[in-house]
Amino acid sequence: MSELPPYDSSESDESDPRDPNGVFDEIVEAETDRDPDLAVIEAGSRTLRARAAQRVDVPARPADPETDKALREVEADLATRWGETKLEPSVSRIAALMDVLGEPQRAYPSIHITGTNGKTSTARMIEALLGAFDLRTGRYTSPHVQSVTERISLDGTPISAERFIETYEDIKPYVEMVDSQQEYRLSFFEVLTAMAYAAFADAPVDVAVVEVGMGGSWDATNVIDGAVAVVTPIDLDHTDRLGTTPGEIATEKAGIVKQDANVILAQQPVDAAQVLLKKAVEVDATVAREGLEFGVVARQVAVGGQLVTLRGLGGEYEEIFLPLHGAYQAHNAAVALAAVEAFFGVGAAHTQSLDIDTVRKAFASVTSPGRLEIVRRSPTVVLDAAHNPAGARATAEAVSEVFDFSRLIGVVGASADKDVRGLLEAFEPIFSEVVVTRNSSHRAMDADELAGIAVEIFGEDRVQVEPRLDDAIEAAITLAEEESEYSGGGVLVTGSVITVGEARLLLGRR
C-alpha cells in the first residue's frame, strides 16, 4: 500500500520525478562510510520524512472525482456501524480483529495518551518531537476536525485519501470475518483503530502516538502495550460512561498503564492522582509527575504564541517558542517533552537531556487546528474546540490573556450529551453576547433548547438564536462590527469539534 508508484531507475537517465531536488541521491552519496544497502535504506527513510515536511493539517476533499467517490463510499460504509457514542465496553472485538490481521500493533513501540482535555495537542507535540529526532511516526487521534483521514497520520501528515481507501479495502474482509463471529459488529471507531494500526505497520513507522477515544481500559486503542503512558488532565466528561468524579474516571483511564511502562502524569485532581499512582505501583511502572519531576518553569506571551522554559526529566530547556496560545498549551508541551524523554530513556537509562536546538525546532513547527485558531481578521474570528467546562475555562483564560477584544461575541453549537450549562457558564465572563446555533451532527443540541439554557446564564438581551451555523457566524461578525467604538470586536466559535470543523469550511479554511 505504498503512497508512491514503483520507480525503476533503469528506465530513464533522469532523476526520480518524485524527488525533484535529488535529496535521495545526495543522502546516498554522502553515506560513504556505511554499508551501501544500509545507506539506501536510511536515505529512503530520510527522504520520506523530508517530503512530509510540507504537511497539510486538515485535508480537503480529493480533487479527483473517482477518488472522492470511493472515499465517500468508504465513509458511507463506516457510517453503517455503531457511532462513537454507542459503546459496548470490551476490547474483545478489536482484539479478535488484531489477531486475524497478524497483530500489526506489535510491529512498533507506542506512546499511549489518555486524559480529558489536551490529548490531541499533546499527541501532535509528541509527534513533532519524535520526527525532529529522525523517527518515522504514526499518529492516531480523534475526533477529526473536517476529514476522517485526519485521524491517521504518517510523519505528521494525514494519510492520503487513496491510502485511506486502500487500507480500508485491505482489512475489510477480515472485519467482515470478525463481524460474523461476534455478538455485535465492530464499531466505527474499532474499524478506524484497526486501519491506523495496519497503516502504521505497513509504512512502517518507528513509533506510534496513539490517543484513546474514550476512557482507557476498554477503549479500542488499548490493544497496544504503550512503552510510555501519558495522562493529560482529568476532569468531568462522559460521566454517564466513565464515572461522576475524577477518581472514578481515572480508574478507567488508568487501564492504559501497562507492566513496566513509563507513566507521564499531567497535574491531576488529588483523587485522580491517587488512583493513577496506585495503578503504577501495581504494575511496577515508573512515574514522572508534572510539578515534581518535570513542568513549566516560565512562560510569556509572544507574537504568534508564547516563549516557554520547560524542565524535563534531563534538565531545563530554555527559550522554546510554542506557536500555540494559552497556559494549558505550555503544560501540554511539558507533558509531551517528558513523554519523549521517557521514550528515549532520559532520566532512566541516562541523564543527558535532548538536544535543545532540535527540541526548539520541533516545538516551533507544532500546529493544532481548531485550538484557538485564528481564521479571519477584521474582525478577528477564532475557532476553539472546547466542548466541556474544563476545556472552556482554559480557553476563556487563554482568550483573556492573548487577545485584547473590546467586545467578544460567542458562537456556540454544542452536543446534547455534554454539560452545556457548565460550558456556557465558563464562557459567560468573556462573552459580551452569544449566538447559539447547532451543527449538522445528530448529537447536536437543538438551538432553541440551547438558547433556553443560555438565557438563564446570560440574560435574554445577550442571547441570539440562529439555527444555521452560517447564519450564526454572519450574525456574530455583524455584532462584532456593529459600532465604531467596538472596532476591537472579535468572534469565538466554539462548543464542539464538529462546530469548529464546519466553521472552518464555511470560512474558507482547507
Side-chain angles (χ1 to χ4, degrees):
M1 294 188 297
S2 173
E3 287 272 49
L4 302 171
Y7 174 71
D8 185 350
S9 60
S10 65
E11 293 180 358
S12 172
D13 292 332
E14 297 179 1
S15 62
D16 184 345
R18 300 164 300 166
D19 186 24
N21 297 320
V23 175
F24 184 90
D25 292 336
E26 289 178 12
I27 295 173
V28 173
E29 289 173 6
E31 296 285 348
T32 55
D33 297 330
R34 301 182 61 182
D35 178 276
D37 291 336
L38 291 177
V40 170
I41 292 171
E42 172 65 11
S45 179
R46 287 167 61 186
T47 303
L48 285 168
R49 289 194 292 270
R51 216 178 266 133
Q54 299 297 320
R55 66 175 186 261
V56 176
D57 289 311
V58 182
R61 297 297 309 183
D64 176 61
E66 290 302 313
T67 303
D68 186 55
K69 178 183 177 183
L71 179 59
R72 290 184 187 280
E73 289 174 354
V74 172
E75 291 169 332
D77 204 3
L78 289 169
T80 65
R81 298 180 175 275
W82 276 1
E84 290 168 283
T85 59
K86 186 173 182 180
L87 304 168
E88 191 275 317
S90 166
V91 295
S92 60
R93 292 177 301 281
I94 187 69
L97 181 56
M98 291 296 99
D99 182 50
V100 297
L101 289 175
E103 303 289 347
Q105 81 282 13
R106 309 290 182 200
Y108 39 79
S110 301
I111 296 177
H112 206 178
I113 306 169
T114 191
T116 300
N117 291 306
K119 297 188 294 297
T120 298
S121 293
T122 302
R124 297 177 74 96
M125 293 179 195
I126 291 172
E127 172 190 54
L129 284 163
L130 293 169
F133 284 99
D134 287 334
L135 293 182
R136 288 212 74 193
T137 58
R139 171 172 54 84
Y140 180 54
T141 53
S142 61
H144 56 274
V145 177
Q146 286 176 206
S147 171
V148 69
T149 60
E150 295 166 41
R151 296 185 181 221
I152 305 172
S153 290
L154 295 173
D155 291 321
T157 302
I159 64 173
S160 66
E162 292 85 355
R163 191 165 195 161
F164 187 89
I165 295 163
E166 290 169 4
T167 303
Y168 178 73
E169 294 298 336
D170 281 348
I171 75 165
K172 185 177 179 180
Y174 302 96
V175 170
E176 292 172 346
M177 182 189 307
V178 172
D179 282 343
S180 68
Q181 298 170 352
Q182 299 290 323
E183 181 180 1
Y184 305 106
R185 296 171 71 216
L186 287 149
S187 70
F188 169 86
F189 187 74
E190 287 169 329
V191 175
L192 279 179
T193 301
M195 289 173 62
Y197 290 161
F200 297 162
D202 184 67
V205 302
D206 297 316
V207 55
V209 183
V210 178
E211 174 189 336
V212 304
M214 186 185 300
S217 297
W218 40 259
D219 186 74
T221 63
N222 203 30
V223 289
I224 59 172
D225 293 323
V228 178
V230 176
V231 187
T232 66
I234 292 175
D235 211 299
L236 301 182
D237 199 8
H238 302 296
T239 54
D240 56 328
R241 298 179 180 90
L242 302 179
T244 57
T245 68
E248 290 177 353
I249 294 172
T251 300
E252 286 297 330
K253 295 185 182 292
I256 73 164
V257 178
K258 305 298 174 58
Q259 188 72 34
D260 300 322
N262 289 287
V263 184
I264 306 300
L265 296 183
Q267 292 180 340
Q268 304 290 347
V270 173
D271 57 343
Q274 291 172 337
V275 170
L276 294 165
L277 292 172
K278 179 181 178 182
K279 177 59 182 287
V281 170
E282 291 172 354
V283 297
D284 294 322
T286 301
V287 178
R289 298 155 293 178
E290 184 182 6
L292 294 174
E293 285 79 22
F294 70 93
V296 178
V297 176
R299 59 177 293 271
Q300 62 185 75
V301 176
V303 176
Q306 55 192 304
L307 195 66
V308 299
T309 295
L310 305 177
R311 186 177 76 254
L313 305 180
E316 283 197 5
Y317 299 78
E318 299 179 338
E319 296 183 350
I320 295 171
F321 175 67
L322 182 65
L324 301 174
H325 300 294
Y328 66 96
Q329 293 289 20
H331 290 284
N332 289 340
V335 170
L337 176 62
V340 172
E341 285 183 309
F343 181 80
F344 285 128
V346 175
H350 58 85
T351 57
Q352 184 177 357
S353 61
L354 301 178
D355 178 71
I356 182 63
D357 290 332
T358 304
V359 169
R360 286 172 179 154
K361 178 182 177 182
F363 276 120
S365 72
V366 170
T367 61
S368 196
R371 277 75 181 178
L372 281 181
E373 180 184 17
I374 299 171
V375 293
R376 172 183 163 151
R377 299 284 188 180
S378 299
T380 299
V381 178
V382 183
L383 308 180
D384 191 86
H387 56 273
N388 57 47
R393 289 192 294 270
T395 296
E397 180 182 342
V399 167
S400 299
E401 174 185 81
V402 175
F403 301 98
D404 188 24
F405 293 127
S406 58
R407 185 186 195 192
L408 179 61
I409 312 301
V411 175
V412 178
S415 297
D417 57 349
K418 297 295 182 179
D419 181 0
V420 175
R421 181 176 295 276
L423 178 88
L424 292 173
E425 288 174 342
F427 281 124
E428 190 277 333
I430 68 167
F431 285 165
S432 299
E433 294 171 71
V434 61
V435 181
V436 297
T437 186
R438 62 166 294 155
N439 57 56
S440 63
S441 169
H442 68 279
R443 295 171 54 198
M445 177 174 281
D446 177 77
D448 289 331
E449 183 180 355
L450 181 56
I453 300 172
V455 167
E456 294 178 12
I457 296 167
F458 289 84
E460 190 172 351
D461 292 343
R462 295 169 63 195
V463 178
Q464 182 171 332
V465 184
E466 294 290 349
R468 288 170 46 117
L469 181 58
D470 55 348
D471 292 337
I473 294 172
E474 183 178 350
I477 290 173
T478 300
L479 287 169
E481 295 176 324
E482 201 166 57
E483 300 174 27
S484 59
E485 66 177 293
Y486 292 128
S487 58
V491 174
L492 175 63
V493 183
T494 189
S496 164
V497 175
I498 298 169
T499 300
V500 164
E502 292 180 356
R504 274 182 121 258
L505 285 171
L506 290 168
L507 292 164
R509 295 300 287 243
R510 299 290 194 272

